[in-house]
């Protein structure tokens, strides 16, 4: 990749010692380093559970699809899970116990807490539930990553997904009802009782119809063909609200142009709707940005793009999005670009990057908007292709440690941020040994062109392109200042 900028220095591990007010959070301090008043309350830790949706649905498994949609396609689906060490309230450091099981079924493995663990690149044939078990005073810094590679037939390309946590409501800015696209909304219920969900589709003309009500059984996954709900709509965003529980959601999309495969993708929800959205990792052909407007009023959106060498011109500097609708803009070919969107209304954004294949084939990958980097997060790396970590413009540095095959962490390094452009870092620079996951610490970083610093991993293979985002920061990382006076 041209003009990559990766400024790396070594740094010692440091623990912040500054209290912040109201809802800010800090990494736990070793006992004795600072007196804590009765108003300083430690946030409770919670287990981390994510759902990896499993193999791509074929015609026999996806209701409403063409009976000849899948021919001789060869598709490999794998899941990597990782548990990284994190500090506890008593000053100790260890990784959480990590369990991988079939959704609603048998346990594949249950690894005890220790000093770090990375699973094998395990082939799967079903939906998986990955659980990190928090210890008292020590949250679970865990993640699951699904990788899908298609090498022949109609399904060729690469799809990677940071497996999603379940929630009572979420929005995914992806999917299509256009001819040639087969988009499936996958809803997984990790709970012990059935739940009811309402699914609403947002299109360029506004919400397509009244929400569709669905029931999802306990421990099961249900697929919803989006073409049947919004046929002909080229750009979609999907709103899901749940009654009586939580669901994990993702969208599977496969695209054909006649008989030529045009890619596979898995997408999940990104950062929640806000007046500002940040997208990183815009690096490929035919880049598109899609904006969803969940409110009823018209949204006026401005776009600014930052490449490795600073702000760059793009074909569109603004967009208008109708209430309860979506809009999409073509941005052309981009290299290592971060996009900042500011709006008069709360919006949610996503983007798509492309790559040419052989004999007219192609692939695409979706990019969700991300929250700014938190104190400690983990990002699992696909065991295929080449990867680059891309960071939006900022000041200060992001600390990085690599997890190796044996679960150990490398010495911490600091990525110095570019205040006017995107910073690009090669994960292989962390160690001469194979790096399976990255632990990212953003306490010493601040955004210079947007709120916070944002990160996306771009992955390319000979025939495919996709992206991975860091897992959300675990619950219970720090203390909360609840002083009222």
């Amino acid at each position: 990749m041209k003009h990559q900028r990766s400024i790396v220095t070594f740094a010692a591990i440091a623990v912040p010692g500054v209290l912040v007010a109201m809802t800010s959070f800090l990494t736990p301090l070793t006992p004795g380093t600072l007196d804590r008043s009765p108003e300083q309350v430690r946030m409770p830790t919670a287990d981390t559970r994510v759902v990896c949706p499993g193999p791509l649905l074929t015609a026999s498994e996806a209701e409403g699809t063409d009976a000849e949609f899948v021919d001789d396609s060869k598709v490999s689906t794998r899941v990597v899970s990782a548990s990284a060490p994190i500090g506890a309230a008593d000053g100790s450091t260890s990784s959480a116990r990590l369990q991988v099981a079939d959704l609603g079924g048998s346990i594949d493995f249950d690894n005890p807490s220790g000093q770090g663990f990375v699973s094998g690149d395990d082939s799967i044939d079903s939906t998986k539930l990955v659980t990190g078990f928090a210890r008292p005073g020590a949250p679970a810094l865990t993640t699951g990553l699904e990788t899908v590679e298609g090498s022949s037939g109609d399904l060729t390309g690469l799809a990677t997904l940071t497996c999603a946590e379940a929630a009572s409501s979420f929005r995914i800015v992806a999917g299509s009802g256009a001819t040639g696209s087969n988009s499936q909304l996958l809803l997984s219920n990790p709970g012990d009782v059935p739940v009811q969900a309402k699914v609403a589709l947002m299109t360029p003309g506004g919400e397509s119809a009244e929400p569709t009500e669905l029931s999802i059984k306990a421990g099961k996954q249900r697929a919803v063909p989006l073409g049947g709900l919004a046929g002909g709509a080229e750009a979609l965003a999907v709103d899901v609200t749940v009654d009586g529980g939580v669901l994990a959601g993702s969208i599977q999309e496969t695209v054909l142009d006649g008989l030529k495969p045009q890619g596979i993708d898995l997408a999940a929800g990104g950062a929640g709707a806000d007046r500002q959205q940040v997208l990183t990792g815009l690096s490929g052909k035919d880049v598109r940005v899609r904006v969803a407007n969940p409110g009823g009023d018209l949204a006026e959106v401005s776009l600014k793009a930052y490449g490795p060498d600073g702000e760059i011109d793009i074909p569109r500097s603004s967009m208008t999005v109708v209430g309860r609708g979506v809009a999409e803009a073509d941005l052309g070919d981009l290299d290592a670009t971060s996009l900042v969107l500011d709006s008069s209304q709360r919006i949610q954004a996503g983007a798509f990057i492309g790559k040419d294949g052989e004999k007219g084939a192609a692939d695409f990958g979706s990019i969700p908007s991300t929250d700014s980097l938190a104190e400690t997060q983990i990002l699992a790396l696909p065991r295929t292709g080449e990867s680059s970590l891309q960071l939006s413009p900022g000041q200060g540095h992001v600390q990085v440690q690599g997890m190796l095959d044996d679960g150990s962490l490398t010495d911490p390094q600091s990525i110095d941020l570019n205040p006017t452009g995107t910073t690009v870092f090669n994960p292989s620079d962390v160690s001469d040994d194979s790096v399976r996951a990255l632990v990212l610490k953003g306490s010493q970083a601040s955004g210079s062109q947007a709120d916070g610093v944002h990160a996306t991993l771009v992955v390319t293979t000979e025939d495919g392109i996709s992206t991975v985002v860091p897992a959300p920061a675990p619950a219970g990382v720090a203390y909360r200042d609840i002083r009222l006076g």
Side-chain angles (χ1 to χ4, degrees):
M1 186 175 293
K2 296 179 181 179
H3 307 302
Q4 289 190 353
R5 184 172 297 185
S6 177
I7 306 171
V8 182
T9 57
F10 288 88
I13 298 176
V15 180
V18 182
L19 291 180
V20 290
M22 295 308 293
T23 58
S24 296
F25 298 87
L26 297 172
T27 297
L29 297 180
T30 303
T33 60
L34 184 67
D35 291 334
R36 296 208 177 271
S37 71
E39 292 115 340
Q40 293 295 316
V41 177
R42 185 174 183 83
M43 297 300 294
T45 55
D47 296 343
T48 299
R49 293 201 301 174
V50 299
V51 176
C52 303
L56 290 181
L57 297 183
T58 63
S60 62
E61 298 166 316
E63 179 184 356
T65 58
D66 186 339
E68 298 180 354
F69 180 71
V70 176
D71 51 0
D72 62 344
S73 297
K74 295 181 181 179
V75 182
S76 169
T77 304
R78 291 159 288 162
V79 165
V80 173
S81 54
S83 180
I86 193 169
D90 61 5
S92 63
T93 299
S94 67
S95 64
R97 169 188 160 205
L98 184 67
Q99 182 186 94
V100 176
D102 288 339
L103 182 66
S106 59
I107 296 173
D108 293 336
F109 66 85
D110 196 332
N111 194 75
S113 61
Q115 294 308 305
F117 172 77
V118 180
S119 73
D121 196 20
D122 302 321
S123 177
I124 64 168
D125 58 6
S126 62
T127 303
K128 296 296 179 180
L129 179 65
V130 179
T131 305
F133 295 92
R135 296 186 296 116
L141 186 60
T142 58
T143 190
L145 169 69
E146 179 166 321
T147 302
V148 181
E149 285 189 272
S151 57
S152 68
D154 294 334
L155 303 178
T156 62
L158 173 70
T160 54
L161 181 73
T162 300
C163 302
E165 296 182 8
S168 59
S169 65
F170 52 88
R171 180 180 302 106
I172 306 175
V173 185
S176 174
T179 301
S181 171
N182 187 307
S183 293
Q184 306 281 336
L185 171 64
L186 309 178
L187 297 175
S188 301
N189 180 4
D192 299 324
V193 296
V195 298
Q196 296 292 122
K198 291 183 178 180
V199 177
L201 267 61
M202 301 161 65
T203 74
E207 194 165 293
S208 63
E210 289 296 317
T212 300
E213 296 191 11
L214 303 167
S215 177
I216 298 90
K217 296 179 181 179
K220 297 295 183 180
Q221 177 174 274
R222 182 168 180 176
V224 183
L226 298 183
L229 300 179
E234 292 191 2
L236 298 175
V238 182
D239 269 338
V240 179
T241 56
V242 186
D243 184 17
V246 294
L247 292 173
S250 59
I251 288 178
Q252 169 195 308
E253 185 174 5
T254 58
V255 180
L256 278 174
D257 180 8
L259 298 177
K260 295 179 180 178
Q262 298 298 299
I264 59 177
D265 185 53
L266 291 170
D274 207 337
R275 292 180 186 271
Q276 184 179 87
Q277 298 276 282
V278 180
L279 297 159
T280 53
L282 278 66
S283 192
K285 288 181 59 64
D286 303 324
V287 176
R288 294 172 287 133
V289 60
R290 185 179 300 180
V291 180
N293 175 12
D297 297 327
L298 194 73
E300 300 287 349
V301 184
S302 67
L303 287 68
K304 290 186 177 181
Y306 302 88
D309 297 317
E311 186 171 357
I312 61 174
D313 292 330
I314 50 177
R316 292 282 296 273
S317 61
S318 65
M319 300 172 63
T320 301
V321 192
V322 301
R324 294 296 298 166
V326 298
E328 196 168 270
D330 295 327
L331 303 183
D333 299 349
L334 295 175
D335 178 28
T337 299
S338 301
L339 189 68
V340 179
L341 300 92
D342 288 295
S343 173
S344 59
Q345 309 292 331
R346 294 171 64 251
I347 57 170
Q348 190 166 332
F352 303 87
I353 54 178
K355 185 178 187 297
D356 289 336
E358 296 182 353
K359 299 180 180 179
D363 190 33
F364 70 101
S366 61
I367 303 174
S369 59
T370 55
D371 291 312
S372 56
L373 287 178
E375 169 59 31
T376 305
Q377 291 171 264
I378 186 171
L379 188 155
L381 304 180
R383 300 194 186 189
T384 187
E386 298 181 354
S387 300
S388 67
L389 180 67
Q390 302 188 13
L391 302 160
S392 65
Q395 297 172 330
H397 64 267
V398 173
Q399 189 183 90
V400 179
Q401 287 180 280
M403 289 191 69
L404 307 182
D405 277 313
D406 61 1
S408 62
L409 289 176
T410 64
D411 292 333
Q413 299 183 29
S414 290
I415 304 174
D416 294 332
L417 297 171
N418 181 349
T420 60
T422 299
T423 300
V424 180
F425 176 74
N426 189 336
S428 64
D429 290 344
V430 172
S431 173
D432 292 334
D433 297 321
S434 296
V435 177
R436 302 308 186 190
L438 298 177
V439 176
L440 307 174
K441 298 183 184 241
S443 63
Q444 302 301 314
S446 61
S448 56
Q449 309 298 328
D451 295 335
V453 174
H454 302 254
T456 299
L457 185 84
V458 179
V459 189
T460 57
T461 62
E462 182 177 348
D463 299 312
I465 190 168
S466 196
T467 67
V468 183
V469 296
V477 174
Y479 291 88
R480 173 181 286 177
D481 186 346
I482 61 168
R483 279 192 292 269
L484 301 179

